[in-house]
Amino acid sequence: MIENIQFVYDFTGHKTAVIVPIDIREKVLTPYNKQSRCDISQYYGVYREFIPDPDKLAASLRDEWDRNDSISDRF
C-alpha cells in the first residue's frame, strides 16, 4: 500500500508534492473510535490470582495521572 504513494519533484530534485491513493487517504482521515476498548482481562495472566478486578485497578491508576495539581503546588 505504501509503495503506491508517489512523490512529485521540481526540476532541482526537491520534493514538492505527494500523490496519495484514495484508500490510504480515507484510512488516514477516518476518525479514531475511542469507544473501542480492549478487554483488560485478556492481558493480566501472570497476576490473575492477585488482581481480582483489573478494570478497577486500571481506573485507579489512571486517576493518579489525572490530578489537576502541578508539582509546584505540592511544595
Side-chain angles (χ1 to χ4, degrees), residues 40 51 53-63:
I40 296 172
I51 305 173
D53 188 359
D55 290 322
K56 183 177 178 182
L57 175 64
S60 70
L61 293 173
R62 279 193 297 275
D63 288 342

Side-chain angles (χ1 to χ4, degrees), residues 16-38:
T16 58
V18 178
I19 301 172
V20 179
I22 293 173
D23 58 335
I24 295 175
R25 179 185 177 275
E26 290 174 352
K27 183 175 182 181
V28 170
L29 295 179
T30 302
Y32 175 71
N33 182 4
K34 291 185 178 181
Q35 297 301 321
S36 63
R37 295 184 48 164
C38 67

Side-chain angles (χ1 to χ4, degrees), residues 5 9 27 29 71 74:
I5 295 176
Y9 298 89
K27 183 175 182 181
L29 295 179
I71 292 175
R74 294 185 214 157

